[in-house]
Amino acid sequence: MSTVTDVHAHILLPALHAEVERRAPEGARDAAALELTRNGAESLAVSGPMVGARIPQLIDVAVRLADMDAQGVDRQWVSASPNHFYPWAPEGLAVWAANEANRLVAEHVAQAPERLTGLGLIPLQHPDRIVECLDDAVLGRGLAGVEISSFAGDVELSDPRLEPFWARAAELRAVIFLHPFGCSLDERLDRFYLSNTVGQPAENAVALSHLIFSGVLDRHPDLKIVAAHGGGYLPTAIGRSDRAWKVRPEAQRCAHAPSTYLRKIWFDTVVHDPHTLRALVEVAGGAQIVLGSDYPFDMGLDDPAGFVRGAHLPARITDRILGGNADALLETRVRT
């Protein structure tokens, strides 16, 4: 049986965050105001104590490993909490923060290298600088890849300025973990925790659609994109994308029907109900699904392996999801 691997688990970097706020207090205040607009005061009042109670899990390797043991997880892929993306940061600060995050994530996983794999960061809003940060993460720090947001400022994932990044990521066989931070619908989702329950799936769907329809996956077939939250709404509503590709000329910049690209993307299992997981396997294939938990946040899966086993998929597919697919994703990466 394969190693049980959780590809979606987070770390907080409080010293980095404090230094970013010290260097750019006005930008940090504006970011906090935007977060209030997007989430609403009620949700922020709940999220603050929730995250605070989980600080040990987010920074202490010993606590992390104990929780992994309790969940029956052998290996975690550790990525920074998305609040470390800093999409508002100017170029110099953004590059420094990404490289510092790479260093800190590498130090964290080095405390248990047999059980932890790290993912770094890149400053998505500064396309001219992200290749060097990708190289820093993968070649300089030995990380498996990087985590990116669904967009940053005016940079969508279809932006031609990202072509060198996609090419370099494919060349390095680096994992690109797509995890949204915030939602462009802003105050429309500022109550009932819609910023997360609707916003995150919407952002995943938009970002993946930019990748598919723009032909990024045609030009860079070796890309290894892993989408958090099961890819959001896109996989289970992909028929509408196929229809657009068939009848609308402006939606025909990809070589094939959008649904075919779902078998070239990997999706985690943070979908919260077995019906959706089975549907995801049906449209993307059992080879494209990887175990995820969103550890240790409240919107994650408390028992990620148990959730997959409880979906009653064929045994060979269950085994691949629990770890075999994640193992395969790492087999071809560039070694430092």
Side-chain angles (χ1 to χ4, degrees):
M1 181 176 292
S2 301
T3 298
V4 175
T5 300
D6 176 3
V7 308
H8 184 171
H10 291 300
I11 182 176
L12 276 183
L13 308 170
L16 168 62
H17 202 65
E19 180 61 15
V20 168
E21 291 185 336
R22 187 192 71 79
R23 294 190 184 192
E26 184 175 342
R29 284 194 296 270
D30 290 345
L34 179 59
E35 187 176 6
L36 177 61
T37 296
R38 286 176 164 173
N39 293 278
E42 183 180 17
S43 285
L44 288 184
V46 175
S47 294
M50 181 273 294
V51 174
R54 289 162 170 78
I55 293 295
Q57 295 161 287
L58 286 159
I59 65 174
D60 190 323
V61 171
V63 175
R64 181 183 299 277
L65 295 177
D67 285 352
M68 290 168 61
D69 290 340
Q71 292 179 339
V73 170
D74 301 303
R75 178 170 287 276
Q76 269 189 359
W77 294 7
V78 179
S79 55
S81 174
N83 67 308
H84 296 300
F85 286 157
Y86 309 120
W88 51 268
E91 182 176 315
L93 178 59
V95 171
W96 174 84
N99 289 339
E100 183 68 0
N102 295 341
R103 181 182 71 83
L104 293 170
V105 170
E107 288 183 354
H108 186 84
V109 301
Q111 296 179 61
E114 73 287 354
R115 302 198 64 185
L116 302 177
T117 295
L119 298 172
L121 294 180
I122 50 101
L124 187 64
Q125 73 272 31
H126 300 292
D128 291 342
R129 304 297 302 276
I130 56 180
V131 168
E132 68 187 81
C133 293
L134 173 65
D135 282 354
D136 175 73
V138 176
L139 302 179
R141 302 294 177 182
L143 303 178
V146 293
E147 176 189 24
I148 65 171
S149 186
S150 52
F151 74 105
D154 68 344
V155 179
E156 298 285 356
L157 299 191
S158 57
D159 196 311
R161 292 174 294 175
L162 295 181
E163 284 297 301
F165 169 63
W166 301 127
R168 184 59 169 160
E171 179 184 11
L172 294 176
R173 305 286 181 153
V175 171
I176 306 298
F177 180 45
L178 172 59
H179 190 303
F181 177 55
C183 179
S184 52
L185 293 174
D186 290 344
E187 60 267 79
R188 291 196 63 209
L189 305 182
D190 67 355
R191 64 212 73 179
F192 319 125
Y193 205 39
L194 297 181
S195 58
N196 187 291
T197 59
V198 172
Q200 295 278 38
E203 283 298 319
N204 273 105
V206 172
L208 290 172
S209 295
H210 272 273
L211 283 172
I212 291 170
F213 280 105
S214 67
V216 167
L217 300 177
D218 293 317
R219 294 188 295 276
H220 308 284
D222 292 330
L223 274 175
K224 298 195 291 188
I225 306 290
V226 178
H229 316 127
Y233 296 128
L234 185 66
T236 51
I238 196 65
R240 191 169 184 86
S241 295
D242 280 358
R243 177 63 180 177
W245 181 81
K246 182 178 180 180
V247 302
R248 301 287 303 198
E250 72 272 34
Q252 293 170 358
R253 296 178 189 173
C254 50
H256 308 285
S259 58
T260 64
Y261 296 93
L262 298 184
R263 292 179 179 263
K264 300 181 179 182
I265 299 167
W266 286 260
F267 303 90
D268 79 7
T269 58
V270 186
V271 296
H272 298 291
D273 74 84
H275 170 77
T276 302
L277 180 58
R278 291 191 293 269
L280 189 57
V281 170
E282 182 177 354
V283 297
Q288 302 303 120
I289 316 301
V290 287
L291 181 70
S293 71
D294 210 348
Y295 173 92
F297 295 118
D298 58 352
M299 284 297 290
L301 299 175
D302 298 324
D303 180 11
F307 171 68
V308 173
R309 294 185 179 109
H312 304 298
L313 295 161
R316 62 179 180 81
I317 292 178
T318 296
D319 190 46
R320 294 190 69 167
I321 294 172
L322 290 176
N325 292 335
D327 291 345
L329 271 168
L330 297 185
E331 283 176 358
T332 58
R333 67 186 172 118
V334 171
R335 302 291 176 174
T336 59

